[in-house]
Amino acid sequence: MKQIHDSKVVNYQIDFESLKIEMTIVSEQNEKGKIVFEDLYAFHFEDQLPNSILVDIVEDEIDLFVIENKKSGKRKKLLLANGL
């Protein structure tokens, strides 16, 4: 599989003990593939729905992840606390 952009996410499995995510995808050409992310300390998936499409994969420093997700994390805690 040469290109993963616009591939459909079939499933993924997160192994917190091994710090790994394995994702099965199908390309626009109907080629099946697997993406493996290792040594993860944080991850963020937006809008996880059936038939989700890969738009972007970014590797970044953990400090930047924390800064960018601090505001959304507070909002999610507030929504959960309010039962929404």
Side-chain angles (χ1 to χ4, degrees), residues 77-84:
K77 286 180 189 174
L78 179 61
L79 290 175
L80 291 173
N82 290 331
L84 299 176

Side-chain angles (χ1 to χ4, degrees), residues 18-35:
S18 298
L19 303 174
K20 180 167 60 172
I21 297 176
E22 291 187 15
M23 182 180 292
T24 304
I25 61 173
V26 175
S27 73
E28 290 182 300
Q29 294 76 29
N30 212 29
E31 297 176 70
K32 202 169 193 178
K34 184 177 278 192
I35 303 172

